[in-house]
Coordinates of all heavy atoms in Angstrom, one line a residue:
G1279 N 27.5 9.7 2.9 CA 28.7 10.5 2.8 C 29.7 10.1 3.9 O 30.9 9.9 3.7
L1280 N 29.2 10.0 5.2 CA 30.1 9.6 6.3 C 30.6 8.2 6.1 O 31.8 7.9 6.3 CB 29.3 9.7 7.6 CG 29.1 11.1 8.1 CD1 28.2 11.1 9.4 CD2 30.5 11.8 8.5
M1281 N 29.7 7.3 5.7 CA 30.2 5.9 5.5 C 31.2 5.8 4.3 O 32.1 5.0 4.4 CB 28.9 5.0 5.2 CG 28.1 4.8 6.4 SD 28.9 4.0 7.8 CE 29.1 2.4 7.2
A1282 N 31.0 6.5 3.3 CA 31.9 6.5 2.1 C 33.3 7.0 2.5 O 34.3 6.4 2.2 CB 31.3 7.3 1.0
V1283 N 33.3 8.1 3.3 CA 34.6 8.6 3.8 C 35.3 7.6 4.7 O 36.5 7.4 4.6 CB 34.4 10.0 4.5 CG1 35.7 10.4 5.2 CG2 34.0 11.0 3.4
A1284 N 34.5 7.0 5.6 CA 35.1 6.1 6.5 C 35.6 4.8 5.8 O 36.7 4.3 6.1 CB 34.1 5.7 7.6
L1285 N 34.8 4.3 4.9 CA 35.2 3.1 4.1 C 36.5 3.5 3.2 O 37.3 2.6 3.0 CB 34.1 2.6 3.3 CG 33.0 1.9 4.1 CD1 31.8 1.5 3.1 CD2 33.5 0.6 4.7
W1286 N 36.5 4.7 2.7 CA 37.7 5.1 1.9 C 39.0 4.9 2.7 O 39.9 4.3 2.3 CB 37.5 6.5 1.4 CG 38.6 7.0 0.5 CD1 39.9 7.2 0.8 CD2 38.4 7.5 -0.8 NE1 40.5 7.7 -0.3 CE2 39.6 7.9 -1.3 CE3 37.3 7.6 -1.6 CZ2 39.8 8.4 -2.6 CZ3 37.4 8.1 -2.9 CH2 38.7 8.5 -3.4
R1287 N 38.9 5.4 4.0 CA 40.1 5.3 4.8 C 40.4 3.9 5.2 O 41.6 3.5 5.3 CB 39.9 6.2 6.1 CG 39.8 7.7 5.8 CD 41.1 8.3 5.6 NE 41.8 8.1 6.9 CZ 43.1 8.2 7.0 NH1 43.8 8.6 6.0 NH2 43.7 8.0 8.1
I1288 N 39.4 3.1 5.5 CA 39.6 1.7 5.9 C 40.2 0.9 4.7 O 41.1 0.1 4.9 CB 38.2 1.0 6.3 CG1 37.8 1.6 7.6 CG2 38.3 -0.5 6.3 CD1 36.4 1.2 8.1
F1289 N 39.7 1.2 3.5 CA 40.3 0.5 2.3 C 41.7 0.9 2.1 O 42.6 0.1 1.7 CB 39.4 0.8 1.1 CG 38.1 0.0 1.1 CD1 37.7 -0.8 2.1 CD2 37.3 0.2 0.0 CE1 36.5 -1.5 2.1 CE2 36.0 -0.5 0.0 CZ 35.7 -1.3 1.0
Q1290 N 42.0 2.2 2.3 CA 43.4 2.6 2.2 C 44.3 1.9 3.2 O 45.4 1.5 2.9 CB 43.5 4.1 2.3 CG 43.1 4.9 1.1 CD 43.2 6.4 1.3 OE1 43.2 6.9 2.4 NE2 43.3 7.1 0.2
K1291 N 43.9 1.8 4.4 CA 44.7 1.1 5.5 C 44.9 -0.4 5.1 O 45.9 -0.9 5.5 CB 44.0 1.2 6.8 CG 44.1 2.5 7.5 CD 43.5 2.4 8.9 CE 43.7 3.7 9.7 NZ 43.3 3.6 11.1
A1292 N 43.9 -1.0 4.4 CA 44.0 -2.4 4.0 C 44.8 -2.5 2.7 O 45.0 -3.7 2.2 CB 42.7 -3.0 3.9
G1293 N 45.3 -1.5 2.1 CA 46.1 -1.6 0.9 C 45.3 -1.6 -0.4 O 45.8 -2.0 -1.4
L1294 N 44.0 -1.3 -0.3 CA 43.1 -1.3 -1.5 C 42.9 0.2 -1.9 O 43.0 1.1 -1.1 CB 41.8 -1.9 -1.2 CG 41.9 -3.4 -0.9 CD1 40.5 -3.9 -0.3 CD2 42.2 -4.2 -2.1
P1295 N 42.5 0.4 -3.2 CA 42.2 1.8 -3.6 C 41.0 2.3 -2.8 O 39.9 1.6 -2.6 CB 41.8 1.6 -5.1 CG 42.3 0.3 -5.5 CD 42.4 -0.5 -4.3
G1296 N 41.1 3.5 -2.3 CA 40.0 4.1 -1.4 C 38.7 4.3 -2.2 O 37.7 4.3 -1.6
I1297 N 38.8 4.5 -3.5 CA 37.6 4.8 -4.2 C 36.6 3.7 -4.2 O 35.4 3.9 -4.4 CB 38.0 5.2 -5.7 CG1 36.8 5.9 -6.3 CG2 38.4 4.0 -6.5 CD1 37.2 6.9 -7.4
L1298 N 37.1 2.5 -3.9 CA 36.1 1.3 -3.8 C 35.1 1.5 -2.7 O 34.1 0.9 -2.7 CB 36.9 0.0 -3.5 CG 37.8 -0.4 -4.7 CD1 38.6 -1.6 -4.2 CD2 37.0 -0.8 -5.9
G1299 N 35.4 2.4 -1.7 CA 34.5 2.7 -0.6 C 33.3 3.5 -1.0 O 32.3 3.5 -0.3
I1300 N 33.3 4.1 -2.2 CA 32.2 5.0 -2.6 C 31.2 4.1 -3.4 O 30.0 4.4 -3.4 CB 32.8 6.1 -3.5 CG1 33.7 7.0 -2.7 CG2 31.7 6.9 -4.1 CD1 34.3 8.1 -3.4
I1301 N 31.6 3.1 -4.1 CA 30.7 2.3 -5.0 C 29.8 1.4 -4.1 O 30.3 0.6 -3.4 CB 31.6 1.5 -5.9 CG1 32.6 2.4 -6.7 CG2 30.7 0.8 -6.9 CD1 33.6 1.7 -7.5
P1302 N 28.5 1.6 -4.1 CA 27.6 1.0 -3.1 C 27.7 -0.5 -2.9 O 27.8 -0.9 -1.8 CB 26.2 1.4 -3.6 CG 26.5 2.7 -4.3 CD 27.8 2.6 -5.0
I1303 N 27.6 -1.3 -3.9 CA 27.6 -2.8 -3.7 C 29.0 -3.3 -3.7 O 29.3 -4.2 -2.9 CB 26.7 -3.5 -4.7 CG1 25.3 -3.0 -4.6 CG2 26.8 -5.0 -4.6 CD1 24.4 -3.4 -5.6
V1304 N 29.9 -2.7 -4.4 CA 31.3 -3.2 -4.5 C 32.0 -3.0 -3.2 O 32.8 -3.9 -2.7 CB 32.0 -2.4 -5.6 CG1 33.5 -2.7 -5.6 CG2 31.4 -2.7 -7.0
N1305 N 31.6 -2.0 -2.4 CA 32.3 -1.8 -1.1 C 32.0 -2.9 -0.1 O 32.8 -3.2 0.7 CB 32.0 -0.4 -0.5 CG 30.5 -0.2 -0.3 OD1 29.7 -1.1 -0.2 ND2 30.2 1.1 -0.1
V1306 N 30.8 -3.5 -0.2 CA 30.5 -4.6 0.7 C 31.3 -5.8 0.3 O 31.8 -6.5 1.2 CB 29.0 -4.9 0.6 CG1 28.6 -6.1 1.5 CG2 28.2 -3.7 1.0
F1307 N 31.5 -6.1 -1.0 CA 32.3 -7.2 -1.4 C 33.7 -7.1 -0.8 O 34.3 -8.0 -0.3 CB 32.3 -7.3 -2.9 CG 31.1 -8.0 -3.5 CD1 30.1 -7.3 -3.9 CD2 31.1 -9.4 -3.5 CE1 28.9 -8.0 -4.5 CE2 30.0 -10.1 -4.1 CZ 28.9 -9.3 -4.5
Y1308 N 34.3 -5.9 -1.0 CA 35.7 -5.7 -0.5 C 35.8 -5.6 1.0 O 36.8 -6.0 1.5 CB 36.3 -4.5 -1.2 CG 36.8 -4.8 -2.6 CD1 36.0 -4.5 -3.7 CD2 38.0 -5.4 -2.8 CE1 36.4 -4.8 -5.0 CE2 38.4 -5.7 -4.1 CZ 37.6 -5.4 -5.2 OH 38.0 -5.7 -6.4
L1309 N 34.8 -5.2 1.7 CA 34.8 -5.2 3.1 C 34.8 -6.6 3.6 O 35.5 -6.9 4.6 CB 33.5 -4.5 3.7 CG 33.6 -4.0 5.1 CD1 34.7 -3.0 5.3 CD2 32.3 -3.4 5.5
V1310 N 34.1 -7.5 3.0 CA 34.2 -8.9 3.4 C 35.6 -9.5 3.1 O 36.1 -10.3 3.9 CB 33.1 -9.7 2.6 CG1 33.3 -11.2 2.8 CG2 31.7 -9.3 3.1
K1311 N 36.2 -9.1 2.0 CA 37.6 -9.5 1.7 C 38.5 -9.0 2.7 O 39.4 -9.7 3.1 CB 38.0 -9.0 0.3 CG 39.3 -9.4 -0.1 CD 39.7 -8.9 -1.5 CE 41.1 -9.3 -1.9 NZ 41.5 -8.8 -3.2
I1312 N 38.4 -7.7 3.2 CA 39.3 -7.2 4.2 C 39.1 -8.0 5.5 O 40.1 -8.2 6.2 CB 39.0 -5.7 4.4 CG1 39.4 -4.9 3.2 CG2 39.6 -5.2 5.7 CD1 39.0 -3.5 3.2
A1313 N 37.9 -8.4 5.8 CA 37.6 -9.2 7.0 C 38.3 -10.6 6.9 O 38.3 -11.3 7.9 CB 36.1 -9.4 7.2
G1314 N 38.8 -11.0 5.8 CA 39.5 -12.3 5.6 C 38.7 -13.4 5.1 O 39.1 -14.6 5.2
M1315 N 37.6 -13.1 4.4 CA 36.7 -14.1 3.9 C 36.6 -14.0 2.4 O 37.0 -12.9 1.8 CB 35.3 -14.0 4.5 CG 35.3 -14.3 6.0 SD 33.7 -14.3 6.7 CE 33.5 -12.6 6.9
S1316 N 36.1 -15.0 1.7 CA 36.0 -15.0 0.3 C 34.9 -14.0 -0.1 O 33.9 -13.8 0.6 CB 35.6 -16.4 -0.2 OG 35.2 -16.3 -1.6
M1317 N 35.2 -13.3 -1.2 CA 34.2 -12.3 -1.6 C 32.9 -12.9 -2.0 O 31.8 -12.2 -2.0 CB 34.8 -11.4 -2.8 CG 35.9 -10.5 -2.3 SD 36.8 -9.8 -3.7 CE 35.6 -8.6 -4.3
W1318 N 32.9 -14.2 -2.4 CA 31.7 -14.8 -2.8 C 30.7 -15.0 -1.6 O 29.5 -15.0 -1.8 CB 32.0 -16.2 -3.3 CG 32.5 -16.2 -4.7 CD1 33.8 -16.3 -5.1 CD2 31.8 -16.0 -5.9 NE1 34.0 -16.2 -6.4 CE2 32.7 -16.0 -7.0 CE3 30.5 -15.7 -6.2 CZ2 32.3 -15.8 -8.3 CZ3 30.1 -15.6 -7.5 CH2 31.0 -15.6 -8.5
L1319 N 31.2 -15.0 -0.4 CA 30.4 -15.1 0.8 C 29.5 -13.9 1.0 O 28.5 -13.9 1.7 CB 31.2 -15.3 2.0 CG 31.9 -16.7 2.1 CD1 32.8 -16.8 3.3 CD2 30.8 -17.8 2.1
T1320 N 29.8 -12.8 0.3 CA 28.9 -11.6 0.4 C 27.5 -11.9 -0.1 O 26.6 -11.2 0.4 CB 29.6 -10.4 -0.5 OG1 30.9 -10.3 -0.1 CG2 28.8 -9.2 -0.3
L1321 N 27.4 -12.8 -0.9 CA 26.0 -13.2 -1.4 C 25.1 -13.7 -0.3 O 23.9 -13.8 -0.4 CB 26.1 -14.2 -2.5 CG 26.8 -13.7 -3.8 CD1 27.0 -14.9 -4.8 CD2 26.1 -12.6 -4.4
L1322 N 25.7 -14.1 0.8 CA 24.9 -14.5 2.0 C 24.1 -13.4 2.6 O 23.1 -13.7 3.3 CB 25.8 -15.1 3.1 CG 26.5 -16.4 2.7 CD1 27.5 -16.8 3.9 CD2 25.5 -17.5 2.5
Y1323 N 24.4 -12.2 2.3 CA 23.6 -11.0 2.8 C 22.2 -11.1 2.2 O 21.3 -10.5 2.7 CB 24.3 -9.7 2.4 CG 25.4 -9.3 3.4 CD1 26.7 -9.1 3.1 CD2 25.0 -9.0 4.8 CE1 27.6 -8.7 3.9 CE2 26.0 -8.6 5.7 CZ 27.3 -8.5 5.3 OH 28.3 -8.0 6.1
I1324 N 22.1 -11.7 1.1 CA 20.7 -11.7 0.4 C 19.7 -12.6 1.2 O 18.6 -12.3 1.2 CB 20.9 -12.3 -1.0 CG1 21.8 -11.3 -1.8 CG2 19.6 -12.4 -1.7 CD1 22.2 -11.8 -3.2
I1325 N 20.2 -13.6 1.9 CA 19.3 -14.5 2.6 C 19.0 -13.9 3.9 O 19.9 -13.6 4.7 CB 20.0 -15.9 2.8 CG1 20.5 -16.5 1.5 CG2 19.1 -16.9 3.5 CD1 21.4 -17.6 1.6
P1326 N 17.7 -13.7 4.2 CA 17.3 -12.9 5.4 C 17.9 -13.2 6.7 O 18.7 -12.4 7.3 CB 15.8 -13.1 5.4 CG 15.4 -13.4 4.0 CD 16.5 -14.1 3.5
V1327 N 17.7 -14.3 7.3 CA 18.3 -14.6 8.6 C 19.8 -14.9 8.5 O 20.5 -14.4 9.4 CB 17.6 -15.9 9.2 CG1 18.2 -16.3 10.5 CG2 16.1 -15.6 9.4
V1328 N 20.2 -15.5 7.5 CA 21.6 -15.8 7.3 C 22.4 -14.5 7.1 O 23.5 -14.3 7.7 CB 21.9 -16.7 6.1 CG1 23.3 -16.9 5.8 CG2 21.2 -18.1 6.3
G1329 N 21.8 -13.5 6.4 CA 22.5 -12.2 6.2 C 22.7 -11.5 7.5 O 23.7 -10.8 7.8
F1330 N 21.7 -11.6 8.4 CA 21.8 -11.0 9.8 C 23.0 -11.6 10.5 O 23.8 -10.8 11.1 CB 20.5 -11.2 10.5 CG 20.4 -10.7 11.9 CD1 20.2 -9.3 12.1 CD2 20.6 -11.5 13.0 CE1 20.2 -8.8 13.4 CE2 20.6 -11.0 14.3 CZ 20.3 -9.7 14.5
V1331 N 23.1 -12.9 10.6 CA 24.2 -13.6 11.3 C 25.5 -13.3 10.6 O 26.5 -13.1 11.2 CB 23.9 -15.1 11.4 CG1 25.1 -15.8 12.0 CG2 22.6 -15.3 12.2
F1332 N 25.5 -13.3 9.3 CA 26.7 -13.0 8.5 C 27.2 -11.6 8.8 O 28.5 -11.4 8.8 CB 26.5 -13.3 7.0 CG 27.8 -13.1 6.2 CD1 28.8 -14.1 6.3 CD2 27.9 -12.1 5.3 CE1 30.0 -13.9 5.6 CE2 29.0 -12.0 4.5 CZ 30.1 -12.9 4.7
G1333 N 26.3 -10.7 8.9 CA 26.7 -9.3 9.3 C 27.5 -9.3 10.6 O 28.5 -8.5 10.7
L1334 N 27.0 -10.0 11.6 CA 27.7 -10.1 12.8 C 29.1 -10.7 12.7 O 30.1 -10.2 13.2 CB 26.9 -11.0 13.8 CG 25.8 -10.3 14.6 CD1 24.9 -11.3 15.3 CD2 26.4 -9.3 15.5
I1335 N 29.2 -11.8 11.9 CA 30.5 -12.5 11.7 C 31.5 -11.5 11.0 O 32.6 -11.4 11.4 CB 30.3 -13.8 10.9 CG1 29.5 -14.8 11.7 CG2 31.6 -14.3 10.4 CD1 29.0 -16.0 10.9
V1336 N 31.0 -10.8 10.0 CA 31.9 -9.9 9.3 C 32.4 -8.8 10.3 O 33.5 -8.4 10.2 CB 31.2 -9.3 8.1 CG1 32.0 -8.1 7.5 CG2 31.0 -10.3 7.0
A1337 N 31.5 -8.3 11.1 CA 31.8 -7.2 12.1 C 32.9 -7.7 13.0 O 33.9 -7.0 13.3 CB 30.6 -6.8 12.9
F1338 N 32.8 -9.0 13.5 CA 33.8 -9.5 14.4 C 35.1 -9.7 13.7 O 36.2 -9.4 14.3 CB 33.3 -10.8 15.1 CG 32.4 -10.5 16.2 CD1 31.0 -10.6 16.1 CD2 32.9 -10.2 17.5 CE1 30.1 -10.3 17.1 CE2 32.0 -10.0 18.6 CZ 30.7 -10.0 18.4
K1339 N 35.1 -10.3 12.5 CA 36.3 -10.5 11.8 C 37.0 -9.2 11.4 O 38.2 -9.1 11.4 CB 36.1 -11.4 10.6 CG 35.8 -12.9 11.0 CD 35.7 -13.8 9.8 CE 35.6 -15.2 10.2 NZ 36.8 -15.9 10.1
L1340 N 36.2 -8.2 11.0 CA 36.8 -7.0 10.6 C 37.4 -6.3 11.8 O 38.5 -5.7 11.7 CB 35.7 -6.0 10.0 CG 36.1 -4.7 9.5 CD1 37.0 -4.9 8.3 CD2 35.0 -3.8 9.1
G1341 N 36.7 -6.4 13.0 CA 37.3 -5.8 14.2 C 38.6 -6.5 14.6 O 39.6 -5.8 14.9

Side-chain angles (χ1 to χ4, degrees):
L1280 284 173
M1281 290 299 289
V1283 168
L1285 287 174
W1286 185 297
R1287 295 281 300 166
I1288 289 171
F1289 287 0
Q1290 284 180 334
K1291 283 185 173 185
L1294 295 170
I1297 197 152
L1298 293 173
I1300 295 175
I1301 307 168
I1303 296 172
V1304 173
N1305 61 15
V1306 178
F1307 278 95
Y1308 280 98
L1309 198 61
V1310 170
K1311 180 179 180 183
I1312 290 171
M1315 295 182 281
S1316 172
M1317 291 172 67
W1318 285 102
L1319 290 175
T1320 306
L1321 297 174
L1322 291 175
Y1323 276 119
I1324 297 171
I1325 306 168
V1327 175
V1328 176
F1330 179 78
V1331 174
F1332 185 66
L1334 278 168
I1335 293 169
V1336 169
F1338 279 97
K1339 287 189 176 255
L1340 184 66

